[in-house]
Amino acid sequence: QVQLVESGGGLVQPGGSLRLSCAASGSFFTIGVMGWYRQAPGKERDLVARITVYGSTKYGDSVKDRFTISRVNANNTVNLQMNSLKPEDTAVYYCNAFSGGTEYWGQGSQVTVSS
């Protein structure tokens, strides 16, 4: 079992920055791909970014060149640095991870971009 605990959401003005963090804990051998998804009201949950154990990354088209994902394998954490935030980035952000063929989700962290 893997528990994912997120931190770092909140309210920010357009053009501002936020950093989300997610820590994995529990009983597991290894964590595979980790990532972030987001879901705005009335919309589907979409990929924001994901990263492999080896550091290969994939970003959603709407966040390329603004967001940066990173991870620290030694303590099973994944971070999302969000810059140049726009109102359309407003959503609940979910941490995601794979371990032992099972997919896990965090509880979600609200990010609101508004003046």
Side-chain angles (χ1 to χ4, degrees), residues 37-86:
Y37 288 72
R38 68 185 182 186
Q39 188 168 21
K43 295 188 177 181
E44 295 184 350
R45 190 174 296 188
D46 292 327
L47 172 70
V48 177
R50 64 173 184 246
I51 184 168
T52 70
V53 172
Y54 305 105
S56 296
T57 59
K58 178 178 176 63
Y59 292 90
D61 289 340
S62 63
V63 306
K64 286 180 181 177
D65 300 322
R66 298 189 297 123
F67 291 10
T68 303
I69 190 170
S70 61
R71 68 185 285 172
V72 180
N73 293 329
N75 57 12
N76 296 305
T77 60
V78 62
N79 303 300
L80 185 69
Q81 179 65 42
M82 304 184 290
N83 298 328
S84 302
L85 282 159
K86 305 175 181 180

Side-chain angles (χ1 to χ4, degrees), residues 90-104:
T90 295
V92 178
Y93 285 68
Y94 295 91
C95 181
N96 173 271
F98 284 85
S99 180
T102 301
E103 185 175 28
Y104 298 91

Side-chain angles (χ1 to χ4, degrees), residues 9-57:
L11 173 65
V12 64
Q13 293 185 343
S17 298
L18 277 177
R19 182 178 176 88
L20 298 178
S21 295
C22 173
S25 62
S27 178
F28 54 85
F29 179 68
T30 186
I31 297 286
V33 175
M34 300 186 79
W36 293 92
Y37 288 72
R38 68 185 182 186
Q39 188 168 21
K43 295 188 177 181
E44 295 184 350
R45 190 174 296 188
D46 292 327
L47 172 70
V48 177
R50 64 173 184 246
I51 184 168
T52 70
V53 172
Y54 305 105
S56 296
T57 59

